[in-house]
Amino acid sequence: MATTFITIYDANVLYSAPLHNLLMRLALEDILLARWTRKIYDDWICNVLENRKDLRREQLERTSDLMNGHVHDNYVTDYTDLIHSSLIFFVE
């Protein structure tokens, strides 16, 4: 039986378009259960806009909407107590 990993996609991995695309493909193929927080999204969008003056917020928000539309149950909430823990979760 295969194990599917719940994986938090941090702003660092969402920043790089090739890595972002790879990780989203893994999530869409149900190889990984992708999760992120609103804070992660805000950090990712803010950093990309800061460094890529050729992009507009609307473009990144569209990407965000597509990600949220295709990866279900993706938002992590009530996580502040877990920030400094080093737990690894497995779902069978």
Side-chain angles (χ1 to χ4, degrees), residues 4-34:
T4 303
F5 295 95
I6 297 174
T7 308
I8 301 295
Y9 288 9
D10 194 13
N12 295 331
V13 299
L14 294 175
Y15 182 88
S16 165
L19 184 54
H20 180 180
N21 291 339
L22 171 65
L23 291 171
M24 287 308 299
R25 287 184 182 273
L26 293 173
L28 292 172
E29 295 293 325
D30 294 325
I31 295 169
L32 298 173
L33 298 175

Side-chain angles (χ1 to χ4, degrees), residues 20-21 24 41 44 57-69:
H20 180 180
N21 291 339
M24 287 308 299
Y41 251 54
W44 162 64
R57 177 168 289 279
E58 296 79 24
Q59 292 170 295
L60 298 178
E61 291 293 341
R62 181 177 183 278
T63 300
S64 172
D65 291 344
L66 289 170
M67 290 173 66
N68 292 328

Side-chain angles (χ1 to χ4, degrees), residues 41-67:
Y41 251 54
D42 292 342
D43 288 349
W44 162 64
I45 289 174
C46 179
N47 288 321
V48 170
L49 289 174
E50 183 177 316
N51 295 310
R52 292 282 312 271
K53 303 300 183 196
D54 58 314
L55 295 176
R56 295 183 327 275
R57 177 168 289 279
E58 296 79 24
Q59 292 170 295
L60 298 178
E61 291 293 341
R62 181 177 183 278
T63 300
S64 172
D65 291 344
L66 289 170
M67 290 173 66

